[in-house]
Amino acid sequence: MGSWSNTPIEVEFRTIDGLAVRFAESEDRDVHALLLSPWLESLFAFEPVWVRLAEHTHLVAVDLPGFGHSQRCDALLSPMAMGDFVIRIADAFGLPTPHVIGPDIGTGAALFAAARHPHRLRSLVVGSGGAAFPLRLGGLLKDWVDAPDLDGYRAADPRRIVADVLAADIERYALPDAVREDYLSAYTGDRLVESMRYVRSYPAELAALRDLLPTIQTPVLIIAGRRDPVVPPVNAEYLHERLPASELDVIDVGHFAWEDGADEYASLVTRWWDGGYATAH
């Protein structure tokens, strides 16, 4: 078990399907939630909302395989495959019908999980992740998806790339030094370049997801940053128009809504868990 100063989050590893998956867990409660780490971050992205979300809900946060500090599996580097693995994670932790929070890359994975495993998840909270087809992305994310190959990125310093993204896109949150280092060290070596495979699958995967969205009966709360330059709010609107049971909240932040808008983000999620999901339409 690893603990960090001044944080309620303690990290451990568990082997799931032969992969070392890093996780953190809060006190056990009757209601469960599975939190999927965003990219280029780790499960410590949930630190600003952790205490509030854990008041009435048992939280299990994970670094998805190939992201954060979890072991990579190339076969899982697409939203559809990762969605199936999300169900395996829930099984491994004994979570029968958890809520899921899947911001950023977790958006596609959570939606595929709900589409391919009906009635398995209680509700989803998604957003800040590519969803629209044809693709509507911006900034470096668009560059990474559109690049003919990744050769040019293999020679780059991954720590510098991650540091530059955090500096440019985290607007308000004072990122603790230990958490910043956790993010930077998560994508050293070839981990950043190889993780790009996930978003480079978007052209095919989001086309497939488009056809599944109207079949998803799981209630979905979509939280988007109004000023997100990487994943514009049109992606959230696209989901809201197509999902049978969804609510949309656009808050006045950029991409990293769970950190820059932590108070509002936590309030939206707790209200959703307190019963809002049951009345979504």
Side-chain angles (χ1 to χ4, degrees):
M1 177 181 294
S3 62
W4 295 64
S5 59
N6 303 317
T7 176
I9 296 179
E10 296 184 345
V11 295
E12 302 179 66
F13 284 84
R14 178 170 297 187
T15 301
I16 303 175
D17 285 1
L19 297 173
V21 174
R22 191 174 74 158
F23 72 96
E25 193 169 9
S26 71
E27 182 180 348
D28 194 20
R29 303 197 185 276
D30 293 336
V31 179
H32 311 281
L34 180 59
L35 283 56
L36 313 178
S37 60
W39 193 45
L40 303 159
E41 299 186 318
S42 73
L43 58 81
F44 280 96
F46 297 112
E47 183 182 58
V49 298
W50 186 263
V51 171
R52 285 188 60 186
L53 297 187
E55 286 179 359
H56 304 290
T57 306
H58 168 225
L59 309 179
V60 176
V62 297
D63 286 342
L64 292 169
F67 299 94
H69 289 270
S70 288
Q71 184 178 355
R72 184 174 74 238
C73 173
D74 291 347
L76 295 178
L77 291 178
S78 71
M80 185 184 298
M82 195 69 82
D84 290 338
F85 194 78
V86 166
I87 301 301
R88 291 290 299 113
I89 295 171
D91 290 343
F93 284 94
L95 310 178
T97 53
H99 296 289
V100 171
I101 298 183
D104 193 70
I105 56 161
T107 293
L111 290 167
F112 270 116
R116 290 164 60 86
H117 304 270
H119 312 299
R120 183 64 176 79
L121 306 175
R122 184 170 301 193
S123 82
L124 308 182
V125 178
V126 301
S128 302
F133 186 84
L135 272 59
R136 299 289 298 275
L137 306 173
L140 278 177
L141 179 58
K142 185 178 190 306
D143 295 342
W144 293 343
V145 172
D146 291 346
D149 57 57
L150 295 174
D151 293 346
Y153 296 105
R154 294 188 184 280
D157 178 359
R159 287 178 63 94
R160 173 58 64 86
I161 293 174
V162 175
D164 287 349
V165 169
L166 298 175
D169 292 337
I170 295 182
E171 302 173 336
R172 306 172 187 168
Y173 179 57
L175 195 62
D177 289 343
V179 175
R180 181 188 304 276
E181 179 57 31
D182 189 74
Y183 295 171
L184 297 178
S185 60
Y187 297 99
T188 55
D190 68 350
R191 283 182 62 84
L192 175 60
V193 170
E194 294 302 325
S195 68
M196 292 179 187
R197 295 189 193 195
Y198 186 95
V199 296
R200 286 170 63 81
S201 75
Y202 280 2
E205 295 267 315
L206 296 186
L209 181 61
R210 172 193 58 193
D211 298 332
L212 292 175
L213 291 175
T215 73
I216 296 176
Q217 298 302 314
T218 307
V220 182
L221 172 63
I222 309 153
I223 304 175
R226 180 173 291 110
R227 295 178 287 100
D228 189 339
V230 179
V231 183
V234 66
N235 288 271
E237 295 160 3
Y238 175 96
L239 290 178
H240 187 45
E241 290 167 1
R242 289 163 176 79
L243 289 164
S246 68
E247 291 188 6
L248 171 61
D249 284 285
V250 179
I251 62 179
D252 189 27
V253 296
H255 180 68
F256 294 100
W258 44 95
E259 288 167 321
D260 277 337
D263 287 345
E264 191 169 1
Y265 195 93
S267 294
L268 291 170
V269 172
T270 52
R271 284 202 298 269
W272 177 254
W273 287 350
D274 285 344
Y277 74 93
T279 59
H281 56 80

